[in-house]
Amino acid sequence: MSEALLKQAPQTSSNTTPSAIWYTRCPVPTTSGIAQHKQWLQNEFARHGITLDSIRASQDRAVRESHFRHSLAGSFREGGNVPPIWAKAQGQDTVVVGITWVDEEQLVFVRGDSDIHTVADLRGRKLGVVRKAASDLVDVGRAEGQRGLLTALHLGGVPRETVEFVDIAAPEWDLKEVSRTREDHHAIPTLALLNGTVDAIFIKGAGSARALAQGLRPIININDQEDPLLRLSAGSPRPITVDRKTLLDSPEIVVRYLAVLLKTFEWAKAHPEEVLSIIAAETATDEDSVLLAFGNKLHLSFEPKLSDIYVEGLRRQKNFLLAEGFIDIDFDVDTWIDPSPLQKAWLLKDQIVLG
């Protein structure tokens, strides 16, 4: 662990209960995002003498990189599956204690004046995927684009060897707390498409609204597939992970964190309009774009589960990242998961008071 991370390790009291813990979530719809936006997570832990700090809000880039590395002790993460799978394969001793799944628009875009109208028309064409500046962090944007494009080719019956994948140079991600001026990481591939460098790109989620506004035209929406395992992406399933030491030393903290998420899920079901507003803030976009990207049932999508389909989705994403070279070391997904904290959280949930 770097010196910066050692300095930022959670403080503990004499009875080994931490006085400070960390959380992070991706700038996408997450249960943790709603709970922190409403200050429910912060307030619940404050009642027990524990400070909850945001990894992405740190002024120290080494700390912010724990969003990808999961290197901070006493830290929770909910969001896209590429970083936690990569971190686990890198040797980080983390545990999956829940999974959420938010379906979203998953679109392959071409230019508005393109003669490409179906996936079959992609044969012989250039498909753009970003490749970030060299570093030891996993290339999340590339994994996202490659997954989407390969799924589209599979659905359209187009062999991957009949298309040309073209690298689009992109900077390293530095994921800070979201703001209305947050840089759109789809901007660079969009420019490559508009200037003719490539013929098609993949965009998912809130970025789809911006792409449509720029005159791009979708030729397939993977989200239309009925089988959820065909809708897998870098975004869903979204594992909720915690470092194993925290689970072993302070299991009550993990259970309480999950209990707040369960209570948040129940609240979200009854407050669709407020959920829309919160997710617009979390994704640095507007409510119309959120509705377009995630649909009118978004508020029903925030239950942490460890269902068979969620676990199988996580397993298939791990297998995809291994097959495509994003991770080098295989591991067993089933032993990565511990269902007991979520089971106990259901028993604690009704004792949680939001506010």
Side-chain angles (χ1 to χ4, degrees), residues 183-236:
E183 184 177 353
D184 174 16
H185 73 272
H186 294 121
I188 292 175
T190 296
L191 179 60
L193 178 57
L194 288 171
N195 68 22
T197 301
V198 298
D199 300 306
I201 60 173
F202 172 80
I203 294 179
K204 71 174 187 66
S208 58
R210 288 186 284 267
L212 291 168
Q214 291 177 280
L216 302 187
R217 174 167 50 84
I219 60 170
I220 185 175
N221 186 357
I222 296 169
N223 199 42
D224 290 338
Q225 299 299 309
E226 291 187 11
D227 183 352
L229 294 177
L230 291 176
R231 302 195 303 268
L232 293 176
S233 71
S236 285

Side-chain angles (χ1 to χ4, degrees), residues 333-352:
V333 166
D334 291 327
T335 58
W336 189 25
I337 296 169
D338 187 341
S340 62
L342 187 58
Q343 293 166 353
K344 294 174 183 176
W346 275 108
L347 300 176
L348 179 64
K349 171 185 64 68
D350 290 338
Q351 299 178 35
I352 301 295

Side-chain angles (χ1 to χ4, degrees), residues 56-128:
R56 286 170 45 198
S58 174
Q59 297 302 305
D60 189 331
R61 180 164 182 153
V63 173
R64 294 196 302 274
E65 284 190 358
S66 187
H67 177 85
F68 303 97
R69 303 185 191 277
H70 217 309
S71 47
L72 276 174
S75 63
F76 293 85
R77 184 191 191 280
E78 180 186 357
N81 51 60
V82 176
I85 291 172
W86 173 79
K88 175 65 176 176
Q90 291 287 108
Q92 289 294 343
D93 195 7
T94 59
V95 185
V96 175
V97 292
I99 302 172
T100 55
W101 187 311
V102 177
D103 284 315
E104 58 192 333
E105 298 292 273
Q106 297 189 61
L107 303 167
V108 175
F109 281 102
V110 298
R111 290 181 298 280
D113 61 355
S114 173
D115 62 352
I116 299 171
H117 296 282
T118 69
V119 174
D121 297 332
L122 292 175
R123 287 182 173 86
R125 302 303 183 100
K126 296 179 179 179
L127 278 55

Side-chain angles (χ1 to χ4, degrees), residues 295-338:
N296 60 11
K297 296 183 179 179
L298 174 62
H299 60 292
L300 305 177
S301 304
F302 295 101
E303 181 182 357
K305 298 181 185 178
L306 287 170
S307 66
D308 290 346
I309 199 73
Y310 281 23
V311 172
E312 179 60 22
L314 189 62
R315 181 181 296 108
R316 292 193 187 190
Q317 270 300 95
K318 182 269 297 182
N319 291 342
F320 168 80
L321 294 175
L322 182 66
E324 296 298 323
F326 290 97
I327 62 174
D328 298 321
I329 299 174
D330 198 3
F331 62 88
D332 180 48
V333 166
D334 291 327
T335 58
W336 189 25
I337 296 169
D338 187 341

Side-chain angles (χ1 to χ4, degrees), residues 76-289:
F76 293 85
R77 184 191 191 280
E78 180 186 357
N81 51 60
V82 176
I85 291 172
W86 173 79
K88 175 65 176 176
Q90 291 287 108
Q92 289 294 343
D93 195 7
T94 59
V95 185
V96 175
V97 292
I99 302 172
T100 55
W101 187 311
V102 177
D103 284 315
E104 58 192 333
E105 298 292 273
Q106 297 189 61
L107 303 167
V108 175
F109 281 102
V110 298
R111 290 181 298 280
D113 61 355
S114 173
D115 62 352
I116 299 171
H117 296 282
T118 69
V119 174
D121 297 332
L122 292 175
R123 287 182 173 86
R125 302 303 183 100
K126 296 179 179 179
L127 278 55
V129 286
V130 296
R131 183 181 291 277
K132 70 176 178 60
S135 83
D136 65 338
L137 286 178
V138 65
D139 196 337
V140 178
R142 186 174 185 83
E144 175 185 304
Q146 198 163 314
R147 175 49 137 164
L149 289 169
L150 287 173
T151 297
L153 294 178
H154 169 73
L155 294 172
V158 177
R160 68 187 294 173
E161 61 269 17
T162 65
V163 304
E164 179 184 355
F165 283 92
V166 175
D167 290 347
I168 303 169
E172 178 66 88
W173 284 14
D174 182 12
L175 196 59
K176 300 179 182 179
E177 279 295 355
V178 72
S179 71
R180 290 291 181 179
T181 58
R182 181 174 60 86
E183 184 177 353
D184 174 16
H185 73 272
H186 294 121
I188 292 175
T190 296
L191 179 60
L193 178 57
L194 288 171
N195 68 22
T197 301
V198 298
D199 300 306
I201 60 173
F202 172 80
I203 294 179
K204 71 174 187 66
S208 58
R210 288 186 284 267
L212 291 168
Q214 291 177 280
L216 302 187
R217 174 167 50 84
I219 60 170
I220 185 175
N221 186 357
I222 296 169
N223 199 42
D224 290 338
Q225 299 299 309
E226 291 187 11
D227 183 352
L229 294 177
L230 291 176
R231 302 195 303 268
L232 293 176
S233 71
S236 285
R238 313 197 201 290
I240 302 167
T241 48
V242 64
D243 61 289
R244 189 177 300 276
K245 187 175 189 305
T246 296
L247 179 58
L248 293 176
D249 292 350
S250 306
E252 72 284 353
I253 287 180
V254 181
V255 172
R256 188 166 299 279
Y257 189 99
L258 290 171
V260 174
L261 298 193
L262 292 174
K263 197 77 170 183
T264 300
F265 153 67
E266 292 189 341
W267 173 89
K269 288 190 296 181
H271 296 84
E273 292 184 1
E274 196 166 351
V275 166
L276 202 63
S277 175
I278 291 171
I279 299 305
E282 283 287 292
T283 57
T285 187
D286 56 80
E287 294 180 16
D288 288 341
S289 297

Side-chain angles (χ1 to χ4, degrees), residues 1-14:
M1 185 184 293
S2 72
E3 182 179 354
L5 295 188
L6 285 170
K7 290 178 180 178
Q8 297 283 347
Q11 301 299 308
T12 59
S13 59
S14 58

